[in-house]
């Protein structure tokens, strides 16, 4: 039970750091990032998945395609089918172009699936740490899975990771 308590505390601290960040108030909502994942098998201490992501910018309305990889370290038990992750995207300014979201994002995550499943990811990073993916994402999947730990998302332009 101790590892689960440790992971819960780590996740709570990460959420507080993101939500209480002074730069948080200075950010603009610039669009939505929608990522489609491949099936995943949890390896007890972690997992990795390839992603295909589409960023829909608000102003001007445009779409940018990214490829990525999400890695989880911590408790990860079970199997899930392909899933969808969705984030509201915030940035320090409203100038968004192709490749703006590329980079590494780090944070905490938790997922549970018994048949249909839901998850949450708290991630911050990107190009010069100027991008924040909504404090809580929505993740949908189908399978039998329990996961909690530290998550790293790497985004690159289509064809790169």
């Amino acid at each position: 039970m101790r590892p689960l308590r440790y992971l819960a505390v780590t996740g709570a601290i990460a959420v507080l750091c993101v939500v209480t960040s002074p730069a948080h108030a200075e950010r603009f909502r610039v669009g939505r990032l929608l990522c489609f994942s491949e099936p995943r098998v949890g390896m007890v201490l972690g997992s990795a998945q390839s992603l295909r992501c589409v960023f829909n910018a608000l102003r001007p309305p445009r779409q940018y395609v990214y490829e990525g990889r999400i890695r989880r370290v911590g408790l990860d038990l079970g199997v899930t089918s392909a899933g969808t992750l969705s984030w509201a995207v915030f940035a320090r300014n409203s100038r968004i172009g192709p490749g703006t979201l590329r980079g590494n994002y780090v944070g905490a995550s938790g997922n549970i699936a018994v048949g249909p499943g839901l998850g949450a990811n708290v991630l911050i990073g990107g190009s010069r740490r100027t991008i924040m993916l909504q404090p809580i994402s929505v993740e949908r999947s189908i399978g039998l899975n329990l996961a909690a730990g530290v998550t790293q998302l790497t985004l690159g332009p289509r064809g790169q990771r």
Side-chain angles (χ1 to χ4, degrees):
M1 223 36 192
R2 252 190 196 310
L4 288 176
R5 188 176 298 146
Y6 174 74
L7 292 174
V9 170
T10 303
I13 291 171
V15 169
L16 286 174
C17 289
V18 171
V19 173
T20 60
S21 167
H24 180 71
E26 302 168 10
R27 296 186 188 265
F28 298 95
R29 179 158 185 234
V30 294
R32 176 157 304 282
L33 180 66
L34 189 61
C35 294
F36 305 96
S37 66
E38 297 176 347
R40 177 178 80 194
V41 175
M43 301 294 191
V44 181
L45 295 176
S47 65
Q49 287 176 285
S50 294
L51 302 173
R52 182 175 185 276
C53 302
V54 177
F55 173 66
N56 294 297
L58 292 175
R59 287 178 219 98
R62 292 203 175 121
Q63 281 192 345
Y64 301 108
V65 178
Y66 292 87
E67 287 189 14
R69 188 150 187 86
I70 192 164
R71 293 175 182 88
R72 293 180 173 97
V73 177
L75 176 68
D76 196 347
L77 300 170
V79 178
T80 57
S81 66
T84 306
L85 292 94
S86 176
W87 283 279
V89 179
F90 295 87
R92 287 191 183 157
N93 64 54
S94 59
R95 293 183 189 180
I96 299 294
T100 302
L101 270 61
R102 73 177 178 267
N104 292 309
Y105 298 82
V106 179
S109 67
N111 307 63
I112 187 165
V114 178
L118 291 174
N121 299 279
V122 177
L123 302 174
I124 190 164
S127 178
R128 296 186 194 118
R129 295 195 179 277
T130 60
I131 304 293
M132 182 172 72
L133 301 181
Q134 170 187 339
I136 303 292
S137 76
V138 176
E139 181 173 350
R140 293 183 305 164
S141 61
I142 297 176
L144 181 59
N145 185 258
L146 173 64
V150 176
T151 299
Q152 177 193 18
L153 171 66
T154 303
L155 288 178
R158 186 169 27 175
Q160 298 178 359
R161 273 190 246 176

